[in-house]
Amino acid sequence: QVPLVESGGGLVQAGGSLRLSCAPSGNIASINVMGWYRQAPGKQRELVASIRSGGSANYADSVKGRCTISRDNAKNTVYLQMNSLKPEDTAVYYCNAHIWPRTDYWGQGTQVTVSL
């Protein structure tokens, strides 16, 4: 498996912003969908946002209006700009690359902690 490498997590105060980045450490051809998931302690992993190679994006209701996902297809890189962060956004954020029909690559996760 070619891992994905995430960066940009950290500790931020409520109301602040973070920008997450993710890129493959090796060559992955024709990634159809790239996305960000998160998992808080004691909770299931959930989709935060995803973006297709054509640019159409999908967001969880909890982050709509606060987060923007973007990607650079030439670099197979995906970004997540998170604004107006809330304590409930605290989680480990995972990058995902999906190739139809059933291939998925995951990153190791990056911690985002939002303090009051």
Side-chain angles (χ1 to χ4, degrees):
Q1 290 243 345
V2 178
L4 302 172
V5 180
E6 300 120 333
S7 61
L11 173 64
V12 64
Q13 286 188 329
S17 299
L18 284 174
R19 185 177 189 242
L20 306 183
S21 300
C22 169
S25 62
N27 185 41
I28 304 178
S30 302
I31 299 175
N32 299 111
V33 185
M34 299 193 78
W36 290 94
Y37 291 72
R38 67 185 181 187
Q39 188 167 18
K43 294 188 177 181
Q44 290 188 332
R45 190 174 297 189
E46 63 176 0
L47 175 69
V48 177
S50 63
I51 184 167
R52 297 191 174 198
S53 56
S56 60
N58 179 53
Y59 297 92
D61 288 342
S62 59
V63 304
K64 280 181 181 176
R66 299 189 296 120
C67 292
T68 302
I69 190 170
S70 59
R71 66 186 281 179
D72 182 334
N73 289 330
K75 298 179 181 178
N76 277 338
T77 300
V78 64
Y79 307 95
L80 184 68
Q81 177 67 44
M82 303 188 292
N83 301 322
S84 302
L85 283 162
K86 305 175 182 179
E88 51 262 46
D89 294 317
T90 295
V92 178
Y93 284 69
Y94 297 91
C95 177
N96 170 266
H98 179 75
I99 301 172
W100 292 328
R102 286 181 296 274
T103 299
D104 284 284
Y105 298 102
W106 291 93
Q108 78 286 354
T110 185
Q111 177 70 46
V112 171
T113 302
V114 184
S115 64
L116 288 169

